Amino acid sequence: MGKERFHGHGNILEKTVWKGSRNDLLIAFLIFTVSAAGLHVFICFNYSVKDNTSFMEEIKSPLSIITTFFIVIVSYGFPLFLVRKHLPKSFEINHKNKSLYIQRWRKKQKTLRLELSHTTYSFYAQSWYCVLEINGIFYNSRGFPIQKSVYKIIAPRLGMIWDQLRLLEITRELEKENVQKVKPRKASFSELINE
């Protein structure tokens, strides 16, 4: 599912929408499984060399398998929760009313709506993932503007519907709407997913 453009009267672009896919859950689970398996092999190899035991005994040990999956889940979280928290169901830029809509997977969470004139964004890419952070500009009781993070899309650079190419498409549309780009506040992957 790619980008959709909706035209109004006179062929004027009304909105641009990017939609997610439930396939991302499957892909995230596969990435999780491959990562956990790779870590398991690495840990078992180290233990077998250190303790001078059989590698096959270590790799088949239920305790080592449970330990590895526990380490991965504690460090990175379960893929279902990561996808539901950090990838939107849909991301819409309404060019006509100058608004941004972010629909999340959880039905209990309302769709986020921001005025483009009161929105900033930042984008950066790391070795295997990238981050698009959407910020809202709010005013405190004294009338001073405060920039607050509203939503972070954390996606692998390749392999999923929400990837670096899609996030770059979104940033180009935001630039066309004169949404200000701000300096990113970079954090480690584990910090990002646990915020």
Side-chain angles (χ1 to χ4, degrees):
M1 292 184 187
K3 178 170 60 172
E4 296 177 9
R5 292 180 173 272
F6 297 87
H7 295 272
H9 296 292
N11 213 25
I12 297 168
L13 189 62
E14 190 172 305
K15 59 185 175 178
T16 307
V17 180
W18 295 265
K19 291 184 179 178
S21 168
R22 293 190 184 276
N23 290 339
D24 275 351
L25 293 173
L26 177 62
I27 294 166
F29 188 74
L30 288 172
I31 292 169
F32 170 83
T33 305
V34 169
S35 302
L39 180 65
H40 181 61
V41 168
F42 178 75
I43 289 171
C44 290
F45 179 77
N46 282 340
Y47 276 129
S48 66
V49 170
K50 181 181 163 188
D51 299 339
N52 201 21
T53 57
S54 167
F55 173 70
M56 290 311 290
E57 285 177 20
E58 286 289 341
I59 209 160
K60 290 178 182 176
S61 166
L63 181 62
S64 67
I65 293 170
I66 292 167
T67 303
T68 301
F69 276 85
F70 179 75
I71 290 168
V72 173
I73 288 171
V74 167
S75 301
Y76 300 108
F78 197 69
L80 173 66
F81 304 123
L82 286 177
V83 169
R84 285 185 172 263
K85 184 177 179 184
H86 295 292
L87 297 177
K89 189 173 183 180
S90 69
F91 191 103
E92 176 186 322
I93 297 174
N94 192 306
H95 305 283
K96 189 176 180 181
N97 68 12
K98 303 295 181 187
S99 296
L100 171 68
Y101 299 89
I102 302 171
Q103 183 182 8
R104 294 171 282 190
W105 286 102
R106 294 179 187 159
K107 290 179 181 177
K108 292 180 181 178
Q109 293 178 319
K110 292 181 181 177
T111 298
L112 293 172
R113 181 187 180 279
L114 296 167
E115 298 292 329
L116 291 174
S117 59
H118 290 83
T119 304
T120 64
Y121 76 95
S122 64
F123 174 81
Y124 66 95
Q126 299 291 58
S127 56
W128 63 273
Y129 68 94
C130 50
V131 180
L132 173 62
E133 184 170 9
I134 303 297
N135 308 298
I137 300 172
F138 305 96
Y139 293 89
N140 65 13
S141 57
R142 296 182 179 181
F144 293 109
I146 299 168
Q147 184 173 277
K148 184 180 175 186
S149 176
V150 175
Y151 193 80
K152 282 189 186 86
I153 299 175
I154 304 166
R157 292 184 71 172
L158 290 170
M160 292 175 75
I161 296 293
W162 297 99
D163 62 4
Q164 184 172 352
L165 292 174
R166 176 171 276 199
L167 298 189
L168 288 172
E169 276 182 9
I170 293 171
T171 62
R172 283 192 289 272
E173 291 296 326
L174 291 170
E175 284 172 13
K176 286 179 189 174
E177 292 293 340
N178 297 315
V179 176
Q180 182 186 1
K181 183 176 183 178
V182 295
K183 187 177 179 181
R185 184 186 58 83
K186 294 184 180 180
S188 70
F189 184 72
S190 58
E191 287 173 323
L192 286 168
I193 63 172
N194 290 308
E195 284 182 346

